[in-house]
Amino acid sequence: MPRRLAYWLLLASFSANLVSCSLLPTTDHSEAIVNLPLAQPSGPSRRVVQQIKAIWQGHEEILMCVLELDNQHIAMAGLSTDGVGLFNLHYDGKTVKLDKSPLLPESVSPELVIKDLQLVYWPLAELQKILPKHWRLVEAGNHRQLYFDNELAVDVAYLQPDALWAKTTSLTNHRFHYQLYIKTISYESLPE
């Protein structure tokens, strides 16, 4: 099997397993995680390049993400480690516009990648005010934890904190049984 085809099949498998509700046990809790709202765009204006390593059920994949953020919008491009474009997402605080590679299955949801990144990087107070009933987000030391009632759903560990944007973090989703290791490659302030 050619390497590129094998890569796409692995990526499609990863994405489908990671975010497809149809492959997961359906409970109010699992549906609620998927349906958590997106937070509003948040400044200052910046461009961030990150490497996201996902681990689930003995599998591992790496995705490169380029984010451009300000108070008006969030733009995210997802790339393979070879630089192949996988998706582009734009969010203006109201509408998500998404352009995905035709090779990726419909179950792949870049919106969930954004939700995970917001859980890691957005100000705690902004996230707390949009959480639905039964959800609670707390910080303790170098951890941020999301609870559904009293059950820990997601744990974020800031492995290399930074005042502007944490350099290295991990996110463990206990409900969907995956981990993300997020490494910031570059952080650049942009003119307003």
Side-chain angles (χ1 to χ4, degrees):
M1 178 182 301
R3 181 179 170 171
R4 177 164 270 162
L5 178 58
Y7 171 80
W8 284 108
L9 290 174
L10 281 173
L11 181 63
S13 172
F14 154 67
S15 300
N17 284 323
L18 186 61
V19 300
S20 172
C21 292
S22 64
L23 298 178
L24 298 168
T26 302
T27 65
D28 289 342
H29 185 174
S30 65
E31 289 297 322
I33 287 175
V34 171
N35 293 321
L36 286 174
L38 276 170
Q40 290 297 305
S42 179
S45 186
R46 60 217 185 261
R47 179 180 299 122
V48 185
V49 178
Q50 296 184 293
Q51 179 186 68
I52 302 174
K53 178 168 68 172
I55 300 171
W56 78 105
Q57 298 177 353
H59 301 283
E60 182 178 303
E61 286 296 331
I62 295 176
L63 173 72
M64 299 299 292
C65 280
V66 179
L67 293 166
E68 286 195 5
L69 314 162
D70 61 27
N71 287 326
Q72 311 276 315
H73 82 290
I74 300 168
M76 178 176 70
L79 308 164
S80 72
T81 54
D82 296 333
V84 175
L86 303 174
F87 60 83
N88 287 301
L89 177 144
H90 185 270
Y91 177 59
D92 64 5
K94 296 177 184 153
T95 305
V96 174
K97 293 181 183 173
L98 181 61
D99 178 31
K100 292 194 303 187
S101 166
L103 298 173
L104 295 178
E106 284 302 310
S107 61
V108 175
S109 177
E111 293 98 325
L112 293 180
V113 175
I114 285 286
K115 288 178 184 184
D116 279 345
L117 292 177
Q118 286 186 332
L119 187 58
V120 172
Y121 294 105
W122 257 237
L124 182 68
E126 286 185 36
L127 295 173
Q128 287 173 328
K129 67 184 176 184
I130 66 166
L131 286 176
K133 187 177 178 182
H134 300 291
W135 288 92
R136 179 171 51 97
L137 182 62
V138 298
E139 282 185 352
N142 286 338
H143 284 266
R144 183 177 278 189
Q145 296 173 319
L146 179 65
Y147 290 88
F148 181 77
D149 288 331
N150 290 321
E151 181 184 346
L152 179 61
V154 180
D155 181 48
V156 175
Y158 296 95
L159 306 174
Q160 203 175 2
D162 185 270
L164 290 175
W165 193 270
K167 304 283 186 207
T168 308
T169 62
S170 71
L171 179 146
T172 302
N173 188 309
H174 295 286
R175 179 61 187 98
F176 290 166
H177 310 290
Y178 68 87
Q179 290 182 301
L180 301 179
Y181 291 93
I182 306 166
K183 179 180 179 183
T184 300
I185 306 298
S186 68
Y187 180 102
E188 175 187 4
S189 295
L190 299 175
E192 296 289 332

